[in-house]
Amino acid sequence: MDHKMSRSPWVIHYDGSSCNGCDIEVLASLTPLFDAERFGVVNTGNPKHADIFLVTGSVNAQNLPVVRQIYNQMLEPKCVVACGICACSGGVFRDAYNVIGGVDRAIPVDVYAPGCAIRPETVIDAIVEACGILDQKEAVMRAGGDPLTVGGAATWDGGVELGEDGFVTAGAGTDGAGDAHAGKPAAPAAGDAPAETPAAAKEVE
């Protein structure tokens, strides 16, 4: 029997620092009205059981370690979906003093799904897109390759690092004006696709 990860993807959802608008829409996609379960999607609270990581909201110094911890607990192959414009780029809050940027400042992102708030149909489209990437990663692993060579991880710049004081270290991440320091791409304006979106990463309309 031909096994495919995409036949029964388990998702885990984390609210980074959103206004809860996108979180409501993510939950709506799992209700009987939109019925993401018809694709075999199962919502789980355990990172070790999850295949797809849905993140809403932007990244700040408080939640950056949490996002990375959840991501690191997930087993390969795995995919990350940035749900909503705040998760994609920081959105309207990208210039706030406490916002580092989108989810790709913390972990590699495979699928960008913009929207304010994101629509349930877009969430489902993003999960379906992530399922295709999961199959690619699984095929690479079965061939003895590294799944990190597929998807957003293949071109990820490493994100930002926090110093011992809990703040972003000099020369990494974004400053108070929201501009990137040397070596880091600037975050896009709210409503735009992420600047220099990696070719391997997908954007859902």
Side-chain angles (χ1 to χ4, degrees):
M1 177 175 158
D2 183 25
H3 175 270
K4 284 185 179 292
M5 292 284 297
S6 60
R7 288 182 178 168
S8 182
W10 285 36
V11 302
I12 184 170
H13 168 230
Y14 176 76
D15 174 9
S17 58
S18 76
C19 66
N20 288 332
C22 288
D23 302 294
I24 292 172
E25 301 303 318
V26 169
L27 294 176
S29 69
L30 300 171
T31 61
L33 178 61
F34 295 97
D35 195 17
E37 288 189 1
R38 69 182 184 272
F39 299 110
V41 177
V42 176
N43 188 31
T44 180
N46 190 333
K48 295 179 176 66
H49 295 166
D51 306 305
I52 300 173
F53 189 12
L54 305 179
V55 188
T56 55
S58 58
V59 172
N60 55 43
Q62 293 292 323
N63 64 36
L64 185 145
V66 178
V67 172
R68 285 181 172 164
Q69 184 179 33
I70 295 174
Y71 178 79
N72 291 333
Q73 288 183 68
M74 294 175 65
L75 304 179
E76 294 287 357
K78 56 190 175 186
C79 280
V80 177
V81 177
C83 297
I85 193 60
C86 289
C88 289
S89 67
V92 297
F93 305 106
R94 66 178 292 268
D95 291 329
Y97 72 93
N98 62 329
V99 171
I100 297 172
V103 180
D104 56 8
R105 309 313 298 142
I107 56 177
V109 173
D110 298 290
V111 181
Y112 292 91
C116 185
I118 188 173
R119 295 179 59 83
E121 297 92 335
T122 306
V123 174
I124 294 174
D125 286 344
I127 292 175
V128 172
E129 190 70 44
C131 286
I133 298 175
L134 268 180
D135 285 340
Q136 295 177 34
K137 291 185 176 185
E138 183 183 23
V140 169
M141 290 182 67
R142 287 181 177 275
D146 185 357
L148 296 180
T149 60
V150 180
T155 52
W156 190 51
D157 64 2
V160 299
E161 294 297 334
L162 299 180
E164 294 182 0
D165 57 0
F167 293 95
V168 177
T169 56
T174 59
D175 58 21
D179 296 326
H181 287 287
K184 300 293 182 181
D192 296 336
E196 299 180 11
T197 301
K202 301 290 186 179
E203 181 183 352
V204 178
E205 295 294 337

